[in-house]
Amino acid sequence: MLMPGAALADACTDLRPNWDGTPVSALDEFVALMSTPPALVLLLATALVVRFRKPWGGVVVALLWGGFGTFLTWGDPTGLRDAAIAEGCVGSPSLFIASTLAICAAMIAITAPAKRDKTDGEN
């Protein structure tokens, strides 16, 4: 009864059609998620924001990273993702989420405006 059945096999055929049967680790899932087109576009946007040091650009890109992470982990009403995780063809996205959080924190810290010291003559 606890063994994977036909419903779980269908989940893996739908989500990961080329899955070879080996369990997917968090690192494998991280690589799979980071190689998706939205993640690659967001990595490029992050690099551009850091390169040109645009504070509002950093905020926008951080919000886009958050939206992408939310989209990936949002509750699945069909239960397909949970079934695929139980089968082993989809790994935990926790490493991906932690790394995007670190990327966003570093990006915001780098692009934050420098605090200016007030001199005696300025208000």
Side-chain angles (χ1 to χ4, degrees):
M1 183 170 167
L2 295 176
M3 297 301 291
L8 294 180
D10 288 340
C12 287
T13 11
D14 289 344
L15 290 178
R16 303 279 166 94
N18 297 327
W19 180 53
D20 61 358
T22 58
V24 176
S25 67
L27 183 60
D28 295 333
E29 189 69 13
F30 169 78
V31 171
L33 292 174
M34 274 298 188
S35 62
T36 60
L40 294 174
V41 167
L42 287 170
L43 283 172
L44 177 64
T46 301
L48 289 173
V49 164
V50 168
R51 166 64 180 94
F52 294 112
R53 304 219 187 252
K54 298 292 184 183
W56 284 106
V59 171
V60 168
V61 173
L63 287 172
L64 289 173
W65 272 116
F68 182 56
T70 301
F71 173 74
L72 292 175
T73 59
W74 198 263
D76 180 16
T78 63
L80 192 63
R81 183 167 174 80
D82 292 335
I85 289 173
E87 180 69 20
C89 63
V90 173
S92 170
S94 58
L95 183 60
F96 175 78
I97 293 168
S99 66
T100 57
L101 178 65
I103 288 170
C104 290
M107 179 179 53
I108 295 296
I110 290 170
T111 61
K115 188 173 183 176
R116 296 178 9 166
D117 292 333
K118 290 185 178 183
T119 59
D120 293 337
E122 294 181 17
N123 289 332

